[in-house]
Amino acid sequence: MIWQLISITELVLFIMVAITVLYLTVFAIASLFYSKFEAPRTRRQARMLVVMPMYRADDIFQNTIDALERQDYDRRKFDIVAVSHSNRPLTNMKLAQHQLFQLIMPLDSPYSDVRSWQYAIEHCPPLRIYDVIVILEAGETIPNDYLSDINEAYQLGSRAIQTHRSTQQLDTPRAIMAATFEDINSSIFRMGHVALGMASGLLGSGMAFDFRWFKDNIGKLEEGADLKDFEALVLQDRKYVDFLDDTFFYNKPAQFRGGIHTTERSGWMYSQWRAFRRHARMMPSALFHHNYDLADKIFQWMLMPRVVMMAIIGIMCILTPMFYWSMSLKWIITAFWVMFIYAVATPDYLINRKWELAFAHAPKLMVQTLFYALPAGWITVFVRNHKDEWQDDIKQRADRLAQQGGKIFQQGGKIVQQGGKMAQQGAQMIKSADKYADKKEEEA
């Protein structure tokens, strides 16, 4: 009975892993056939609105502003809107010194990337006409021709664009592994998809959309929506997302990004499960109406997270030989196949001596994720999602206590006044008694 239970569990895990590996294999190999298209230069320049969400970006926002001010794009053709939340007053004062529109979100409103985009559209400069909206998070940097590349793609007909996120700081093993995983994801979920005629995945930054469509649709997302909800909205409206592989934007500095952080990884897992749970009902309709991009995205959310997949493969390669040797063969083959697929999806510029040394840290990072990320990250995300509710509850209780304290203080003031009056009356009675005693003494 125990052996049957072990066999069934092992088979179920292998099927789940095999489906994920097969999916990665198809798009990793497809990325090899991605053809780069050199867009011709154009004199026409679209009017752009660059939205820069700033959440606790006091020390890094200047990098993005400086990069935007160095653009070779006509400065009269784009406006910058900085959406500030939870930044220091000094930071907001520094923002006011630049040629941009500054928006400060209320501190009592919950922050999310989607909410900052909505806030920017609700308060964007009036009487301005835009063709394209570009989203770039504070702390990220871009080359001087970034907006020009987006304009060329827009003039050729692209109405939803994702650019290539990369990392400039490759000085630590953790940063190198983070950059490697980032480019593997770009190869599979962006280059591979575009090579097969499917929409590219979105990153939440380094994106550009048709302004009118964005303005008409971003308000449809409910409070608490995240990037995956927005991605489902884009694909549900059958917007094809193009990927500009040669148009880079560079990640935040590692000390503000955290590299491959356990809670960040588990936060992605939580977000993926939440997205699948919310949008799984759209799968039949997507297939019936031939919306394969949306169906693919929902199926993608259903797959096992890659970090968990690698952890399971590693554990099963160690445990299965203890039970039955032939059982471990398929796991060992799967492990080597996954490494081959990751090698195919890794760009050549990352392969050097430093990468080989950093690769030795991969098992350590995987073990950390397996044993610490899931509980720590899920708890962190849960606390983050409910923090505002708890803060509101604490504020309401504090207001009630303050009101009760105010009433008690008023009552105390009245008691003090009454005590003062009683003291005056007592003093008058003492004087009257003294006068009466003196009078009696004189009569005697």
Side-chain angles (χ1 to χ4, degrees):
M1 182 64 181
I2 296 178
W3 172 250
Q4 291 179 348
L5 182 61
I6 292 174
S7 300
I8 293 173
T9 303
E10 184 266 347
L11 181 60
V12 171
L13 285 176
F14 181 76
I15 292 174
M16 294 173 62
V17 169
I19 293 173
T20 304
V21 172
L22 179 61
Y23 183 90
L24 298 178
T25 300
V26 171
F27 289 103
I29 294 176
S31 67
L32 299 176
F33 300 94
Y34 174 82
S35 58
K36 298 181 181 181
F37 176 70
E38 294 292 336
R41 290 289 177 179
T42 175
R43 294 184 178 181
R44 297 182 60 185
Q45 289 188 326
R47 181 79 182 175
M48 298 187 184
L49 177 69
V50 181
V51 176
M52 184 177 69
M54 290 182 51
Y55 180 71
R56 295 181 179 177
D58 303 279
D59 300 319
I60 56 177
F61 76 95
Q62 192 66 46
N63 299 335
T64 309
I65 292 179
D66 291 343
L68 286 170
E69 291 179 345
R70 290 194 301 265
Q71 291 297 296
D72 58 13
Y73 207 70
D74 187 352
R75 188 63 184 87
R76 297 169 298 178
K77 291 290 186 176
F78 72 95
D79 293 328
I80 306 171
V81 173
V83 185
S84 176
H85 191 288
S86 301
N87 292 294
R88 293 192 294 262
L90 181 60
T91 299
N92 295 328
M93 291 177 62
K94 290 180 179 179
L95 278 174
Q97 299 174 3
H98 292 276
Q99 187 182 351
L100 51 79
F101 297 93
Q102 181 182 3
L103 301 176
I104 301 177
M105 294 181 64
L107 291 176
D108 57 351
S109 64
Y111 178 85
S112 68
D113 289 338
V114 172
R115 180 62 193 127
S116 69
W117 307 341
Q118 292 174 332
Y119 196 83
I121 291 298
E122 292 169 0
H123 301 84
C124 66
L127 304 178
R128 298 290 184 108
I129 299 175
Y130 300 105
D131 303 307
V132 182
I133 181 171
V134 179
I135 298 173
L136 193 69
E137 287 191 4
E140 296 172 335
T141 57
I142 53 177
N144 296 345
D145 58 351
Y146 184 81
L147 294 183
S148 297
D149 288 349
I150 290 178
N151 175 66
E152 291 167 5
Y154 176 80
Q155 299 298 344
L156 287 174
S158 296
R159 294 299 179 263
I161 301 168
Q162 175 63 64
T163 56
H164 191 159
R165 182 162 63 190
S166 186
T167 304
Q168 288 182 313
Q169 292 182 324
L170 299 175
D171 49 355
T172 64
R174 184 177 291 269
I176 294 173
M177 292 308 299
T180 301
F181 291 149
E182 184 68 54
D183 271 286
I184 288 174
N185 287 336
S186 289
S187 296
I188 295 174
F189 299 106
R190 282 167 276 284
M191 292 176 61
H193 278 69
V194 172
L196 292 179
M198 304 182 71
S200 165
L202 295 175
L203 290 169
S205 185
M207 307 183 299
F209 298 93
D210 178 76
F211 180 82
R212 181 172 297 179
W213 177 89
F214 191 89
K215 182 177 181 180
D216 293 340
N217 289 273
I218 191 64
K220 297 178 181 179
L221 295 177
E222 300 176 355
E223 185 175 353
D226 59 11
L227 172 64
K228 289 180 170 55
D229 296 314
F230 174 73
E231 198 167 12
L233 177 67
V234 173
L235 299 178
Q236 191 176 6
D237 204 39
R238 296 181 179 272
K239 286 291 180 180
Y240 178 78
V241 182
D242 203 356
F243 178 61
L244 303 185
D245 178 52
D246 290 333
T247 303
F248 290 88
F249 71 104
Y250 299 102
N251 220 330
K252 301 175 184 177
Q255 61 268 31
F256 301 100
R257 176 168 39 89
I260 309 172
H261 200 275
T262 54
T263 55
E264 184 181 5
R265 283 284 179 187
S266 53
W268 295 340
M269 298 175 196
Y270 176 87
S271 178
Q272 178 177 327
W273 163 246
R274 176 178 173 272
F276 174 72
R277 182 167 49 86
R278 294 186 64 175
H279 302 289
R281 55 184 174 80
M282 297 181 182
M283 177 67 87
S285 176
L287 292 173
F288 181 77
H289 293 94
H290 307 288
N291 190 348
Y292 299 121
D293 286 331
L294 179 59
D296 169 75
K297 184 59 62 176
I298 296 173
F299 181 77
Q300 187 183 118
W301 293 333
M302 182 186 69
L303 296 176
M304 184 179 294
R306 272 85 66 199
V307 174
V308 176
M309 178 194 72
M310 290 299 297
I312 290 176
I313 292 174
I315 291 174
M316 296 306 289
C317 286
I318 297 173
L319 293 182
T320 50
M322 300 179 184
F323 297 98
Y324 204 75
W325 175 251
S326 62
M327 184 185 293
S328 65
L329 291 178
K330 60 179 178 291
W331 289 104
I332 295 174
I333 294 173
T334 302
F336 279 103
W337 182 254
V338 170
M339 297 304 294
F340 170 74
I341 290 302
Y342 282 174
V344 168
T346 301
D348 293 338
Y349 80 92
L350 286 173
I351 308 301
N352 51 34
R353 183 60 180 169
K354 288 185 177 180
W355 184 89
E356 294 175 357
L357 295 174
F359 189 76
H361 289 73
K364 178 182 176 182
L365 296 174
M366 184 178 65
V367 171
Q368 287 179 346
T369 301
L370 178 64
F371 289 101
Y372 297 103
L374 286 175
W378 284 58
I379 291 173
T380 300
V381 173
F382 179 81
V383 170
R384 188 181 301 154
N385 289 343
H386 293 80
K387 178 181 67 175
D388 299 318
E389 299 176 9
W390 297 338
Q391 287 179 346
D392 292 339
D393 187 42
I394 292 173
K395 288 179 181 179
Q396 291 177 1
R397 293 183 182 181
D399 291 338
R400 292 174 186 172
L401 290 175
Q403 292 176 359
Q404 293 177 357
K407 292 179 180 178
I408 293 174
F409 182 78
Q410 292 177 356
Q411 293 176 356
K414 293 179 180 178
I415 293 174
V416 170
Q417 291 178 356
Q418 293 176 357
K421 292 180 181 178
M422 292 177 66
Q424 292 177 357
Q425 292 176 358
Q428 291 177 356
M429 292 176 65
I430 291 173
K431 289 180 180 179
S432 300
D434 290 340
K435 290 180 180 179
Y436 182 76
D438 293 341
K439 184 178 180 181
K440 286 294 183 181
E441 203 175 308
E442 289 177 358
E443 289 180 354

